[in-house]
Amino acid sequence: MQEDLFKRLVAHCKEYGFVYPSSEVYDGLGGVYDYGPLGVELKNNIKSYWWNAMVKVHENIVGLDSAIFMHPLIWKASGHVDAFNDPLVDNKDSKKRFRADVLIETEIDKLRAKADKEVEKAAKRFGESFDEKLYRETNPRVSDYLQRAEAVEKRLAASLQSGDMADIKAIIEELEITEPDTGSKNWTDVRQFNLMFSTQMSNIAGEEGKLYLRPETAQGIFVNFLNVQKTTRQKIPFGIAQVGKAFRNEIVARQFIFRMREFEQMEMQYFVRPGTEMEWFQYWKEKRMAWHKAITPAEKLKFKDHDNLAHYANAAVDIQFEFPFGFKELEGIHSRTDFDLKSHSDLSGKKMTYYDPELEEHYIPYVVETSVGCDRMFLSVLSNALIEETVPDAQGEDAKRTVLKIHPALSPVKCAVLPIVRNKEELVGKAREIYDRLKLHFLCQYDEKDAIGRRYRRQDAIGTPYCVTIDFDTIEDDTVTIRERDSMRQERIPVSEVVRIVRERTDMANLLG
Ligand code: ATP
């Protein structure tokens, strides 16, 4: 684990106003975070990137903003009341609670990491002639690690599927899994735990008035499927996209904003003809990966097929990102069959069929879902971007810089306006005039405090792609210096060109083409 990067990242988020622990004055609230002034800008930009790529560029995808509170029967139909339970286990010594499947998955990761280490060592030993594939298959120690990992993975999947909690406990014991902080192996039995938060409607007493905070945004889309289809007159295939809060009473909310109890999802449900769902599953799998690759290096992303399919799915894959604590799920793509529409139709007694004019047939559409966590996306963008580098030809304090190399289209602040000195009225006046013009187009910052080098560093640390500096020549010839964040190159350009240049280089359209 790149512990150092992760620690720096959490500290950086707090120091510069990206993310704060929630309710900090009361010592925080586990698994809940607040987004600060720069955090909200970055998060909004991530949401726009997703929304534009889904709704704006697809004529057949439309948006929705459904309420968080929904009829409680929705969660009965979806399976969340009865079937969506996490297996949990307590450590009797530390009194801490864990998700049993996550503990086991961590052990599986460790076995695979051991295999990778052996391969790495061998690669160094053998040099150029090294055949990694052959080595993985034939080296007894490596294949033993890999086979053990696979066997545990399969057994876990089968036990989760059949709800065999005793076997999950047996796996924990056989693998001699210890409590991560204390090393204790003193575990309780594994029990099922429902992850939905509930609250009470004021005018209805008892169970009847029990409402759930939605654990996913998808169900708001399913129950509005016919409304949207009728009002937009979309023909199948078409999609409905939604961004919104979801709530899960996660047993262990860990790893900062990776696993939260209140988080945001960006989900799209694509309604298709039954029998064509696998083609569309493939299509969205590739499309979504391309969306990630436009802002993230390819080697940090990979697909991971699900061994353990949820009760509603006939195919599922995760897009994983290499977080500082390893490859983990960033987005899920599921072929959800007609499970949800059919369940809602059965339970509500309302027909949820679509009339296909080409086939001249009524049917319940099949659904392919893409679901990405906005907060996990935020974490992936920042863990990619946070870089400490040595500045060539610089001395002393200036020799190192911390820079957030966020894609310019996603950067919170697009341009900083900096008068070279603060005590010359005409310079400050000119800089203010330029700032007042720029701020109509994008989020800018005006900064006149400290030496120019320090001001550049402050902008680097928050990922501002461009700094415009106003100096004495600006008064003479109406030109400014524009400095690019990553290369630190400076160019002289006319004041009249600043808006055009910054807009062109930070335009979201650059990511969508
Ligand atoms: P995990 O296995 O990590 O618990 P999941 O498979 O339950 O995730 P989905 O139900 O597929 O997740 O939800 C879709 C997306 O929502 C995930 O890919 C993730 O990005 C995000 N997400 C899910 N749970 C959380 C959470 N507790 N905090 C932040 N984001 C989350």
Side-chain angles (χ1 to χ4, degrees):
M1 151 136 147
Q2 292 170 271
E3 225 161 280
D4 179 46
L5 168 64
F6 191 46
K7 275 203 193 126
R8 274 194 293 119
L9 202 141
V10 176
H12 195 87
C13 279
K14 171 113 195 276
E15 184 180 349
Y16 288 93
F18 282 91
V19 183
Y20 312 121
S22 161
S23 321
E24 206 186 0
V25 289
Y26 291 99
D27 296 332
L29 181 66
V32 187
Y33 291 88
D34 297 337
Y35 285 83
L38 291 177
V40 65
E41 296 295 338
L42 174 57
K43 204 170 172 209
N44 283 341
N45 292 342
I46 290 173
K47 288 190 228 174
S48 295
Y49 174 39
W50 185 85
W51 193 263
N52 288 343
M54 287 300 191
V55 178
K56 210 160 153 191
V57 308
H58 290 99
E59 279 177 53
N60 68 342
I61 299 183
V62 292
L64 180 75
D65 183 11
S66 69
I68 288 172
F69 289 145
M70 291 193 273
H71 196 288
L73 284 181
I74 285 175
W75 305 111
K76 183 98 189 138
S78 69
H80 283 86
V81 173
D82 302 316
F84 273 101
N85 294 307
D86 282 334
L88 85 109
V89 63
D90 291 332
N91 186 279
K92 291 187 204 162
D93 297 328
S94 71
K95 309 272 182 270
K96 282 198 191 139
R97 184 164 286 178
F98 295 85
R99 248 175 70 180
D101 56 335
V102 173
L103 283 178
I104 297 170
E105 274 160 12
T106 309
E107 284 309 298
I108 297 172
D109 288 347
K110 279 188 200 158
L111 286 171
R112 296 217 162 103
K114 279 183 187 162
D116 288 346
K117 238 201 179 110
E118 292 287 331
V119 172
E120 233 171 75
K121 272 198 283 179
K124 272 202 196 121
R125 231 178 19 247
F126 291 109
E128 293 227 324
S129 62
F130 185 60
D131 181 341
E132 181 176 331
K133 190 164 174 288
L134 188 71
Y135 192 80
R136 278 183 184 276
E137 282 161 9
T138 53
N139 179 276
R141 209 164 337 156
V142 172
S143 64
D144 177 56
Y145 285 137
L146 294 177
Q147 275 167 18
R148 270 163 54 200
E150 203 184 318
V152 177
E153 197 165 54
K154 285 223 165 94
R155 184 167 156 198
L156 173 66
S159 300
L160 285 173
Q161 191 91 46
S162 63
D164 187 348
M165 296 299 119
D167 189 54
I168 294 179
K169 171 82 186 286
I171 303 177
I172 291 179
E173 280 171 349
E174 282 166 38
L175 292 179
E176 302 191 349
I177 294 178
T178 54
E179 207 265 331
D181 296 329
T182 63
S184 160
K185 290 185 209 158
N186 196 3
W187 298 107
T188 62
D189 286 343
V190 180
R191 283 166 296 139
Q192 302 265 24
F193 175 79
N194 194 290
L195 52 68
M196 281 196 294
F197 282 100
S198 63
T199 185
Q200 194 72 25
M201 193 92 140
S202 62
N203 56 348
I204 313 169
E207 272 298 297
E208 295 255 298
K210 187 170 174 186
L211 292 187
Y212 295 104
L213 298 189
R214 65 181 180 199
E216 63 178 25
T217 61
Q219 298 303 324
I221 295 180
F222 293 127
V223 294
N224 275 297
F225 158 70
L226 276 186
N227 280 338
V228 174
Q229 194 273 323
K230 281 189 183 135
T231 49
T232 59
R233 304 173 65 200
Q234 287 286 348
K235 289 207 178 67
I236 268 173
F238 77 95
I240 304 179
Q242 163 152 253
V243 176
K245 290 265 180 165
F247 305 83
R248 294 185 189 177
N249 201 354
E250 299 279 4
I251 296 145
V252 262
R254 258 202 302 224
Q255 285 151 336
F256 192 39
I257 54 173
F258 178 81
R259 190 173 298 287
M260 303 158 90
R261 297 201 165 95
E262 171 180 341
F263 59 101
E264 237 171 326
Q265 288 186 312
M266 306 189 282
E267 295 200 303
M268 193 276 299
Q269 311 294 326
Y270 203 67
F271 299 90
V272 305
R273 240 178 228 172
T276 63
E277 71 274 15
M278 285 308 161
E279 282 159 47
W280 288 112
F281 177 72
Q282 279 307 328
Y283 173 87
W284 282 111
K285 208 176 133 175
E286 301 310 324
K287 261 278 201 255
R288 294 302 305 147
M289 187 56 117
W291 183 88
H292 287 285
K293 283 189 180 163
I295 54 167
T296 304
E299 68 274 11
K300 295 218 156 201
L301 294 162
K302 68 178 184 196
F303 286 119
K304 169 100 175 41
D305 286 318
H306 280 213
D307 300 308
N308 178 28
L309 286 180
H311 62 274
Y312 53 76
N314 67 357
V317 67
D318 291 339
I319 294 178
Q320 292 191 330
F321 169 77
E322 190 175 17
F323 288 98
F325 36 85
F327 271 99
K328 297 272 180 245
E329 172 175 348
L330 177 59
E331 169 153 6
I333 298 150
H334 306 112
S335 168
R336 292 184 79 126
T337 67
D338 60 354
F339 174 84
D340 301 273
L341 291 180
K342 202 160 170 307
S343 303
H344 289 306
S345 179
D346 290 347
L347 198 61
S348 67
K350 308 269 173 7
K351 264 222 282 250
M352 296 240 179
T353 50
Y354 165 82
Y355 177 70
D356 191 322
E358 278 169 46
L359 297 181
E360 298 183 349
E361 216 179 84
H362 290 272
Y363 56 77
I364 297 181
Y366 270 44
V367 173
V368 174
E369 163 184 83
T370 72
S371 173
V372 55
C374 186
D375 313 87
R376 282 194 194 173
M377 201 55 217
F378 188 104
L379 186 58
S380 83
V381 167
L382 284 189
S383 35
N384 252 334
L386 184 62
I387 287 160
E388 302 250 354
E389 61 181 23
T390 322
V391 179
D393 307 325
Q395 313 273 306
E397 215 184 79
D398 288 344
K400 270 226 158 81
R401 70 167 184 158
T402 299
V403 51
L404 273 185
K405 294 191 174 176
I406 303 178
H407 191 288
L410 299 182
S411 287
V413 177
K414 302 295 186 217
C415 186
V417 178
L418 319 170
I420 194 103
V421 288
R422 67 196 288 192
N423 52 5
K424 282 277 179 284
E425 217 171 278
E426 47 187 341
L427 277 192
V428 168
K430 187 74 185 164
R432 277 274 171 205
E433 191 189 308
I434 293 173
Y435 170 73
D436 285 339
R437 205 176 319 154
L438 288 185
K439 75 182 183 192
L440 304 177
H441 299 270
F442 8 76
L443 190 67
C444 298
Q445 275 190 357
Y446 174 84
D447 188 3
E448 56 178 31
K449 275 186 232 102
D450 299 323
I452 193 73
R454 290 203 47 193
R455 281 182 272 164
Y456 282 150
R457 293 291 183 275
R458 275 205 290 271
Q459 295 302 327
D460 287 344
I462 63 168
T464 305
Y466 295 99
C467 289
V468 164
T469 306
I470 288 84
D471 57 21
F472 291 100
D473 287 345
T474 312
I475 313 295
E476 298 295 313
D477 61 6
D478 227 21
T479 62
V480 286
T481 300
I482 187 165
R483 170 194 183 264
E484 198 270 332
R485 178 193 68 201
D486 298 352
S487 62
M488 295 190 283
R489 255 203 315 271
Q490 305 197 4
E491 263 179 89
R492 201 78 201 171
I493 58 166
V495 169
S496 58
E497 285 289 279
V498 177
V499 169
R500 185 186 63 79
I501 289 175
V502 176
R503 181 190 289 137
E504 266 176 24
R505 297 182 191 172
T506 62
D507 195 347
M508 187 76 76
N510 297 336
L511 282 175
L512 298 172

